[in-house]
Amino acid sequence: MSETAKKDKLVSSAELDEQKQFAIKVNSVVSAMYDEKPKACVITYGCQQNVADSEKLKGMLELMGYDFTDDRFEAKLIIFNTCAVREHAEDRVFGNVGSLKSYKRKNPDAVLALCGCMMQQQHIADKIKKSYPFVDLVFGTHVVHRFPQLLYKTLTGKKRVFEIPDTDGVIAEGIPVKRDADSKAWLPIMYGCNNFCSYCIVPYVRGRERSREKAEIIKEFKELVCQGYKEITLLGQNVNSYGKDLAPSVSFASLLRELNDLDGDFRIRFMTSHPKDCTKELIETMASCDKVAQHLHLPFQSGSDRVLKAMNRKYTRSQYMELINYARELMGDELSVTSDVIVGFPGETYEDFKQTLSLVEEVKATSLFTFIFSPRKGTPAAEMDDPVSREEKSKWFKELTDLQERISAEQMALHKGKTYKCFVYGKGKLADNYVAARNDGNLIIEFEGDESLIGTFQNIKVIEPLTFVMRGEIVKEKN
Ligand code: SAM
Ligand code: SF4
Ligand code: F3S
């Protein structure tokens, strides 16, 4: 990438300073406007990228003088950070926004804002403009860093504000972040996607792939470790293509190794990897880096080569299995594999679907994220012939989830008696005096323990594998 292209992507420090000035201005506007410190309610849909964006929105809101609440009916600012990946996600947003109409009528000084992937689609923004006149502010994914300015305009102007520039996307460094958890952190290392899988809306709403400079990532990572974060997840829609656009290019594996070699007691996770960019070097790095979790989330989507081609996934079933087999060869039972699967892609036959079932048998994933195909306006798959009925697809879906339930149970049973170094992340659900922990492979193990253990690593022996969690006990030494 040329220096000019690099500069074009990076939001300038002058622009970011300008936003800080707007944050100060919003702060004085809201302190004059409300009797007490106003509360903001940030509601997030979708993937971890959106969670990370919401943490930035909250960081900026804190600067602008807002407190936070989970109760939207006591908020002076309600913001929905939306997802467009499936129709169901969009329907939920419309339903929830609609239910705020009377709240807005009774509280005209409250601001209702919508942002995120769904809003980056022009037809959605148009629908909000026309049919939801009580929504005050709508902005897209490429202007999150300009939130202070947009909110200032909304609070002080008479018109509703819509800001949805259609660009390839930018990188804004140094935005304040208010993290939801104090021991687990999300760290976006790249944004956007270049893959254009034929069913997927993400490349249209998140722009092109752009990697953060390695030095910026390492700086933020070190800060997180210093602040006591123990589980740090590197994020990207296609995280293992990190660094291809940098000059000189950097491989994701080399970034992982560098982070692994930093001082401190922490665990590194990453998601989501794309099979076409999953190199042997990456698998070897996972196997040899002690702080990198032995968990590979590698979506295969379908077991039929014909469907994979129509999906524009750029790998075959056997190439996928080669990666899984190599990873298992190097990491053995310690490795946990998870995946995403789509059922009912346009033109998929029952024969194709049976190949997905047989791949599920072969992969033996710990768990699967399963979805019925949802047509997304503007994507090639939405225009394809789709003769199989919804009822039929639901039957296939049930067949798939039944199969995976059996495989998950078999996989869980293999852990009985084994001891794992686990990160204790919160209170347990099995009993009041239980806490919950995750092992390297992202498996949940609950055990009797004091809440003071939350935020620490402990060695836990699995006593009883249940359906989705395992019951364990704390041990002094890992065997
Ligand atoms: N970038 C990741 C990848 O390629 O594996 C996944 C990103 S997407 C947000 C998460 C999952 O949603 C995908 O892996 C896919 O299984 C599912 N998905 C995306 N578009 C979909 C659609 N139109 N209908 C149903 N599922 C979809
Ligand atoms: Fe969507 Fe494919 Fe990109 Fe994943 S890799 S975000 S499924 S286009
Ligand atoms: Fe949804 Fe956008 Fe993530 S479409 S899944 S929130 S990138």
Side-chain angles (χ1 to χ4, degrees), residues 193-197 199-203 237-238 274 301 313:
C193 180
N194 289 353
N195 287 332
F196 290 93
C197 300
Y199 51 82
C200 185
I201 195 69
V202 172
Q237 277 306 338
N238 190 13
H274 192 297
Q301 314 295 358
R313 288 291 289 181

Side-chain angles (χ1 to χ4, degrees), residues 19-20 37 71 91 138 172 187 214 235 241 281 297 333 340 345 347 376 385 387 409 414 420 436-437 440 464 472:
Q19 293 305 318
K20 279 190 198 136
K37 199 169 182 184
D71 178 1
D91 290 346
V138 174
L187 201 172
K214 193 170 79 174
L235 293 180
S241 75
E281 185 201 3
H297 180 63
D333 286 350
D340 295 351
F345 183 80
R376 304 286 66 212
D385 273 351
L414 299 177
Y420 297 104
D440 230 29
E464 184 188 11

Side-chain angles (χ1 to χ4, degrees), residues 46-47 50 82-85 117 202 206 237:
C47 65
N50 254 20
T82 62
C83 169
V85 80
C117 296
V202 172
R206 285 275 173 179
Q237 277 306 338

